């Protein structure tokens, strides 16, 4: 043992690292320091090695906290902040052993008391130095360990409404399919919201969320289509039209998801790469169109939930009104291009692409109105 300990004489950094790992293994700085004091009391350990040992024990117990807190985001940040604070103060004393030994010698009492006081003093000084720096330390940890949103894949964590035990009862099965389609619609709305937030903030991370949400929408569509194809028993004329409306709307929702993910997100990436941003009236027009389409989306979901209602004609008329507004806005845009700066002219194609994307989305979600208007006509005996 004496020969083994002698290997660390003159190598405080090596001892510091070995003790840090040893403390991580025993998960106790007290046990680690107590072991060193036992070696010292037995004449196997020189007092000069107690300083790097105590420092290594403190860093090692901070490493233990990092391991135990790794499972949570805040746990990782807190443990890394603790480890960083102790390492920042410990390393200078390890690399300047003469200075550390002088500080150690100033402590009163026998070697046992000096070691305990040095251990306590190190932690007190760490607190006094870094507690006032808590704000900058928190920001540093958030930068080093950023908050990440895991990609969303598959169906939501909530239970699916597509219960196969109801397939023998068409009315109940169709109700379940309608509820699942409404959930699908919520997912498509999130895609639109993620896209606009990413576009507004020029945030590629939000655009990635659109792709993840599109995977969820595709799963919804496959499951709804499969469920509706297995509805058993004869359908009444009303149920047949209800079946058609649900299938139609789920299909249109899947198309809207493809437009947002494949057309609009690709356009965002190209526009960002070319640094061509919309400004002024063009940006305001797109922002207004985004808001209007989201409102119409909510109305379309309401029509599905209420199996039509009395607002079908108004909903379809609003579609044509929005198309007229888009044509007028594009005409005004062309007028502004006369004599405009080159970058404004270059960004024009992206503005028109966005307008086209939203107009196509408006057309798809309006299909629910046509499905229910056809249903109402058949109920009333109209051709």
């Amino acid at each position: 043992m004496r020969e083994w300990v002698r290997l660390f004489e003159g190598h405080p950094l090596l001892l510091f690292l070995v003790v840090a790992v040893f403390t991580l293994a025993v998960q106790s700085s007290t046990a680690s320091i107590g072991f060193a004091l036992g070696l010292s009391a037995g004449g196997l350990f020189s007092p000069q090695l107690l300083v790097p040992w105590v420092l290594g024990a403190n860093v090692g117990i901070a490493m233990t906290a990092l391991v135990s807190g790794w499972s949570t985001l805040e746990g990782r940040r807190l443990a890394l902040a603790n480890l960083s604070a102790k390492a920042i103060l410990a390393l200078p004393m390890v690399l300047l052993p003469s200075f550390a030994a002088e500080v150690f010698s100033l402590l009163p009492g026998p070697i046992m008391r000096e070691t305990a006081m040095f251990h306590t003093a190190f932690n007190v000084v760490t607190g006094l130095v870094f507690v006032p720096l808590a704000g900058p330390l928190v920001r540093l940890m958030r930068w080093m360990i950023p908050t990440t949103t895991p990609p969303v894949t598959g169906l939501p964590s909530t239970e699916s409404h597509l219960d196969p035990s109801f397939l023998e009862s068409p009315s109940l099965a169709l109700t379940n399919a309608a509820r699942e389609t409404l959930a699908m619609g919520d997912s498509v709305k999130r895609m639109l919201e993620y896209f606009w937030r990413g576009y507004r903030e020029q945030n590629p991370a939000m655009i990635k969320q659109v792709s993840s949400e599109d995977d969820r929408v595709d799963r919804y569509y496959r499951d709804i289509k499969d469920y509706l194809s297995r509805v058993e028993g004869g359908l009444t004329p009303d149920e047949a039209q209800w079946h058609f409306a649900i299938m139609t709307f789920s299909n249109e929702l899947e198309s809207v998801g493809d437009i947002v993910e494949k057309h609009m997100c690709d356009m965002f990436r190209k526009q960002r790469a070319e640094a061509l941003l919309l400004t002024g009236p063009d940006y305001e027009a797109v922002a207004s169109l985004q808001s209007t389409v989201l409102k119409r989306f909510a109305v379309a979901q309401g029509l599905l939930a209420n199996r039509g209602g009395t607002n079908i004609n108004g909903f379809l008329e609003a579609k044509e009104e929005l198309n007229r507004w888009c044509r007028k806005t594009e005409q005004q845009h062309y007028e502004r291009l006369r004599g405009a700066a080159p970058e404004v002219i270059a960004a024009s194609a992206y503005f028109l692409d966005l307008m086209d994307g939203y107009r196509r989305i408006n057309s798809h979600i309006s299909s629910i109105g046509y499905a229910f208007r056809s249903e109402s006509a058949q109920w009333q005996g109209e051709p």
Side-chain angles (χ1 to χ4, degrees):
M1 177 65 74
R2 188 175 288 110
E3 291 298 324
W4 181 81
V5 172
R6 190 175 299 167
L7 294 174
F8 295 108
E9 296 286 351
H11 300 285
L13 181 59
L14 177 62
L15 179 63
F16 169 80
L17 296 175
V18 169
V19 172
V21 175
F22 172 71
T23 306
L24 174 62
V26 300
Q27 301 182 31
S28 171
S29 59
T30 303
S32 176
I33 294 173
F35 180 66
L37 291 176
L39 293 176
S40 179
L44 301 176
F45 205 77
S46 65
Q48 290 77 14
L49 294 180
L50 285 173
V51 172
W53 191 293
V54 171
L55 296 174
N58 277 278
V59 171
I61 200 64
M63 292 166 59
T64 304
L66 182 61
V67 172
S68 63
W70 192 259
S71 59
T72 66
L73 177 65
E74 293 304 324
R76 290 197 296 273
R77 288 173 174 172
L78 178 61
L80 183 59
N82 179 38
L83 176 60
S84 300
K86 290 189 174 183
I88 288 172
L89 291 185
L91 284 174
M93 286 190 283
V94 174
L95 298 176
L96 298 173
S98 58
F99 170 74
E102 184 176 349
V103 172
F104 189 82
S105 65
L106 294 176
L107 299 174
I111 191 69
M112 298 286 188
R113 181 178 296 176
E114 283 183 310
T115 303
M117 292 183 67
F118 182 75
H119 172 58
T120 303
F122 175 80
N123 286 278
V124 170
V125 171
T126 301
L128 292 176
V129 171
F130 285 98
V131 167
L133 299 176
L137 193 60
V138 166
R139 290 190 290 272
L140 177 61
M141 292 304 106
R142 287 177 176 171
W143 176 76
M144 294 179 65
I145 307 178
T147 302
T148 57
T149 303
V152 181
T153 58
L155 288 173
S157 57
T158 55
E159 184 179 358
S160 170
H161 300 295
L162 303 178
D163 189 340
S165 64
F166 289 95
L167 288 171
E168 296 181 359
S169 176
S171 60
L172 295 177
L174 292 176
T175 299
N176 288 340
R179 294 173 65 189
E180 194 77 353
T181 305
L182 289 173
M184 180 183 180
D186 289 337
S187 193
V188 176
K189 281 177 63 179
R190 282 193 294 271
M191 291 180 66
L192 280 166
E193 291 165 353
Y194 289 155
F195 168 77
W196 182 244
R197 180 178 171 186
Y199 188 87
R200 184 183 64 227
E201 301 173 1
Q202 291 295 294
N203 183 354
M206 296 306 302
I207 301 302
K208 290 183 180 179
Q209 283 296 98
V210 174
S211 298
S212 299
E213 199 70 33
D214 187 54
D215 293 338
R216 187 200 300 255
V217 170
D218 291 341
R219 176 70 179 276
Y220 270 125
Y221 178 58
R222 289 193 300 269
D223 290 350
I224 292 170
K225 184 168 61 174
D226 176 70
Y227 188 78
L228 289 174
S229 68
R230 293 186 292 125
V231 175
E232 298 180 4
L235 298 177
T236 67
D238 292 352
E239 289 170 344
Q241 285 297 316
W242 181 224
H243 183 283
F244 170 73
I246 296 171
M247 183 64 82
T248 296
F249 195 52
S250 62
N251 179 68
E252 299 298 341
L253 288 176
E254 198 271 340
S255 297
V256 171
D258 286 343
I259 292 172
V260 178
E261 198 269 335
K262 294 181 174 62
H263 175 74
M264 299 172 73
C265 289
D266 285 348
M267 183 276 306
F268 165 83
R269 296 183 186 98
K270 294 176 183 178
Q271 185 177 4
R272 180 177 170 82
E274 296 180 18
L276 295 173
L277 303 180
L278 299 183
T279 58
D282 288 347
Y283 176 84
E284 293 171 2
V286 174
S288 176
L289 189 53
Q290 160 80 9
S291 176
T292 302
V293 167
L294 283 179
K295 291 177 182 177
R296 285 186 54 74
F297 212 110
V299 175
Q301 287 184 290
L303 291 176
L304 178 67
N306 296 318
R307 299 187 63 171
T310 60
N311 195 35
I312 297 175
N313 291 332
F315 177 72
L316 295 176
E317 290 172 2
K319 171 200 173 185
E320 299 304 326
E321 181 179 346
L322 183 59
N323 287 337
R324 288 193 294 270
W325 179 87
C326 288
R327 288 191 291 270
K328 181 179 179 181
T329 301
E330 290 174 357
Q331 182 180 359
Q332 293 171 346
H333 168 77
Y334 291 135
E335 293 173 356
R336 288 193 298 271
L337 291 182
R338 290 197 292 267
E343 60 271 16
V344 174
I345 297 175
S348 172
Y350 294 111
F351 169 76
L352 296 174
D353 277 348
L354 278 174
M355 295 289 290
D356 178 65
Y358 280 112
R359 190 159 47 197
R360 289 165 59 195
I361 291 171
N362 177 49
S363 178
H364 282 293
I365 63 177
S366 297
S367 65
I368 190 67
Y370 292 112
F372 280 118
R373 187 162 70 176
S374 173
E375 182 179 1
S376 299
Q378 291 200 20
W379 285 344
Q380 296 170 10
E382 297 179 8

